[in-house]
Amino acid sequence: MTLKDPICAIATPPGKGAIGVVRLSGEGALELAARAFRGRDPRRLKGGRFTLGEVVDPATGEVIDQALLLVFRAPHSYTGEDLVEFQTHGSPAVLRRVMEVLVSLGARPAGRGEFTLRAYLNGKLDLAQAEAVLALIEAEGELARRQALRALEGALSRRIAALEEKLLGLLAHIQALLDYPEEGVEPHRAEGVIREALAEVEGLLAQAKASRLAQKGARLALIGAPNAGKSSLLNALLGYERALVSPIPGTTRDYLEAPLELFGIPLIAVDTAGVRETEDPLERAGVERALRIAEEADLILYVADRSVPRPPPPPLPWERVVRVATKADLPKAWEDPAFLSVSSLTGEGMGRLKEALREALLGREGGEFLLTERQVEALLRAKERLGEALALPEDLMGLALEEALRALAALTGREVAEEVVARVFQNFCVGK
C-alpha cells in the first residue's frame, strides 16, 4: 500500500438518497474508471468536465446504474491527483456494487480522511485547512460554519505566516549580530517585535472559547426566585411558548430544556426551579438541582423581578452570570445598573440582553477563527517561548525564538510529528 494507490470510497452519507457519490483518486484512476464506465472515455475528458453513461461490471457486462461521471485532472483536483466521481442513484445497493467493481479492478477502499490526507501531502491544503474541512463537515451552527470556512480559505494560515515572517526577520538579525560582530550590526528593537508577536498570539487565543462553543455548543441556565419571570424570558428568547407560565410561585419544580441558536451558536437553554428557602422536600430537590445546573452551565442568566422587593442572591459562579431584571413594563421596586432591564411581554431590552449574551459567550473578538484543541496547544507553546525570549538579552533570544517558530509551524503542519498528522485524520469520515 502506498499513498499513490488508486483509492475509492462512498462520499455521501449512509442511507437512501436521490444521489450517491463514489470517489476514485490516485495513479491510474482514469484508466480504471474507463473500464467501469460505458459512455465517453474518461481519459478523453478534460478536467472539470462530466458525461452521462452507465457504470458496468466489466467481468460480466452487467449494468449497475446510470451515472454522471466527473473528471478532475492532477494537479487541479481536491487531492492533487487524477480524481473521478461517479454520481449514481443514492441506493445503498447501487453504491456497494460500484465499490465492489472498482475494488475488483484494482482500487482499494480509502481509509478515514485519506482523500484530504492526500490533499495535505500534495500541498493542496495545510494542516490547519485540513482540520477546517472536518470542522465544516461537522458544523451544526452558523458560527461554526463561518469559522471553518474562513480557516479553509486560509485566513488563520495567513495570520500565522505573517507572524512567522516577523519573527524570522528578528531571528536573522540576531544571527547576524552574533556571526558578524565586527561588521558593527546595529542593535534591533527586539522587545517591540516580540511584544507585537505576543499580542497577536494572545489575540488568537482569545478566540479559543468562542471557537469551542461554536463547535460544541453551550448551555445557558436561567436561575432566579420563584415567579421571577424565567419561563417567560425563555419563551421570549425562543420566540415561541415552550415553558408554561403561571402567576403562582413554584410552578416549575424540575428543569426544562429547549434548543435555540443565538449568534450562530447552538445553545441549550435550561429553565430551572425557582430558588428560595423551602421546607417542601420536592421543591427543595428542585432548588438543589437548579444550583447544580447553574454550576455546570457555560453561561447563567440570573433573573430577578424588579416589580417586587429583590430577594437575596443565591450562591452562583458570578463570573459566568448575566444579571437580568424582568417585568420592565411594570412599576419598579428597585434599580441596579448591574442588571439589564427587560420585558418579556413587550420585548423592551431584549436586544440589549442578546448583545450582552453575545459578548459573554464570544468575547470582544467575536469568534472570527476556528481553533482546534491542537492549535490552541501550539499557540500556548508559542506564547510561552515568546515570553521567555522577552526576558533574555537580545543576543540570547535565538533559541527561544526558534522554539516559538516551531510551535507556530505546527499549526499549519510544516513541522509536526507523523503521529499528530495521523491523529488529525483519524477523526475524518471515510470518503473525505
Side-chain angles (χ1 to χ4, degrees):
M1 183 181 80
T2 72
L3 285 172
K4 293 187 176 181
D5 293 339
I7 56 172
C8 58
I10 299 169
T12 39
K16 299 175 183 178
I19 297 173
V21 176
V22 175
R23 273 181 162 173
L24 171 68
S25 182
E27 286 187 353
L30 295 174
E31 290 74 14
L32 194 154
R35 295 169 62 192
F37 188 75
R38 185 180 295 163
R40 288 187 64 188
D41 189 335
R43 293 168 293 187
R44 297 181 182 275
L45 289 176
K46 293 181 179 180
R49 299 297 177 87
F50 63 91
T51 186
L52 178 66
E54 295 171 330
V55 183
V56 298
D57 184 344
T60 63
E62 174 196 5
V63 175
I64 295 168
D65 194 11
Q66 291 183 334
L68 278 177
L69 182 143
L70 289 78
V71 169
F72 303 90
R73 292 185 175 270
H76 307 295
S77 72
Y78 180 72
T79 59
E81 307 169 324
D82 286 340
L83 186 147
V84 177
E85 287 188 357
F86 297 89
Q87 292 191 4
T88 67
H89 294 93
S91 156
V94 168
L95 296 171
R96 281 197 303 270
R97 283 292 287 126
V98 175
M99 283 290 295
E100 287 170 4
V101 167
L102 295 179
V103 170
S104 72
L105 292 174
R108 64 173 173 82
R112 285 180 172 273
E114 191 168 357
F115 290 91
T116 305
L117 174 61
R118 291 186 177 198
Y120 164 64
L121 294 173
N122 290 327
K124 304 295 290 186
L125 303 169
D126 63 31
L127 197 56
Q129 290 173 303
E131 287 171 302
V133 170
L134 178 60
L136 194 54
I137 292 170
E138 295 182 340
E140 294 186 8
E142 179 63 15
L143 180 60
R145 181 197 66 79
R146 291 200 306 266
Q147 287 181 343
L149 185 60
R150 281 187 58 77
L152 180 57
E153 291 171 340
L156 177 61
S157 303
R158 288 191 293 273
R159 288 273 290 268
I160 297 301
L163 184 54
E164 288 174 318
E165 185 176 354
K166 188 178 297 185
L167 292 175
L168 282 168
L170 175 57
L171 190 60
H173 175 85
I174 291 171
Q175 198 61 47
L177 199 65
L178 294 173
D179 291 346
Y180 306 105
E182 68 281 358
E183 298 295 327
V185 178
E186 290 292 327
H188 194 280
R189 296 185 63 182
E191 181 180 343
V193 174
I194 294 174
R195 288 196 185 280
E196 286 177 13
L198 265 172
E200 179 76 7
V201 170
E202 287 168 351
L204 289 171
L205 283 170
Q207 305 204 41
K209 178 187 174 185
S211 189
R212 178 181 62 81
L213 293 178
Q215 294 170 70
K216 298 183 179 179
R219 288 179 70 81
L220 174 68
L222 285 79
I223 302 292
N227 212 28
K230 299 184 298 299
S231 298
S232 296
L233 184 57
L234 173 64
N235 291 339
L237 287 170
L238 293 174
Y240 63 91
E241 191 170 326
R242 174 67 177 88
L244 291 174
V245 177
S246 169
I248 302 170
T251 304
T252 305
R253 294 295 185 95
D254 205 348
Y255 68 95
L256 181 149
E257 294 185 348
L260 75 154
E261 185 172 306
L262 288 177
F263 341 108
I265 298 178
L267 298 175
I268 298 294
V270 189
D271 185 17
T272 62
V275 177
R276 66 176 175 182
E277 294 291 333
T278 178
E279 297 301 319
D280 183 325
L282 182 60
E283 188 177 359
R284 189 164 61 246
V287 170
E288 291 171 357
R289 177 171 287 179
L291 294 175
R292 284 199 304 272
I293 289 170
E295 193 66 40
E296 295 166 1
D298 296 287
L299 188 63
I300 301 161
L301 281 183
Y302 173 53
V303 182
D305 180 354
R306 76 170 205 170
S307 70
V308 299
R310 185 165 33 159
L316 293 175
W318 293 100
E319 71 280 0
R320 285 185 277 124
V321 172
V322 173
R323 297 165 173 84
V324 183
T326 57
K327 307 183 185 178
D329 52 296
L330 299 177
K332 58 188 176 186
W334 55 272
E335 192 167 11
D336 187 330
F339 283 71
L340 292 166
S341 291
V342 303
S343 169
S344 301
L345 182 64
T346 67
E348 178 186 340
M350 291 300 295
R352 293 193 302 274
L353 173 58
K354 288 179 180 179
E355 180 59 28
L357 291 175
R358 188 201 67 77
E359 186 167 324
L361 287 167
L362 299 179
R364 296 186 182 278
E365 295 289 332
E368 181 185 6
F369 289 106
L370 165 75
L371 285 176
T372 65
E373 291 181 10
R374 184 194 71 83
Q375 292 165 357
V376 169
E377 289 172 4
L379 285 169
L380 287 171
R381 289 199 304 273
K383 178 183 175 181
E384 185 177 349
R385 298 299 175 262
L386 289 171
E388 290 174 2
L390 203 56
L392 293 170
E394 185 168 324
D395 57 349
L396 299 179
M397 289 178 176
L399 184 58
L401 288 175
E402 287 175 3
E403 292 294 328
L405 282 163
R406 285 195 189 93
L408 293 173
L411 278 156
T412 52
R414 287 197 314 283
E415 203 166 309
V416 68
E418 286 185 13
E419 57 267 25
V420 173
V421 175
R423 193 160 63 245
V424 167
F425 287 98
Q426 74 182 7
N427 294 320
F428 277 69
C429 56
V430 174
K432 190 58 181 172

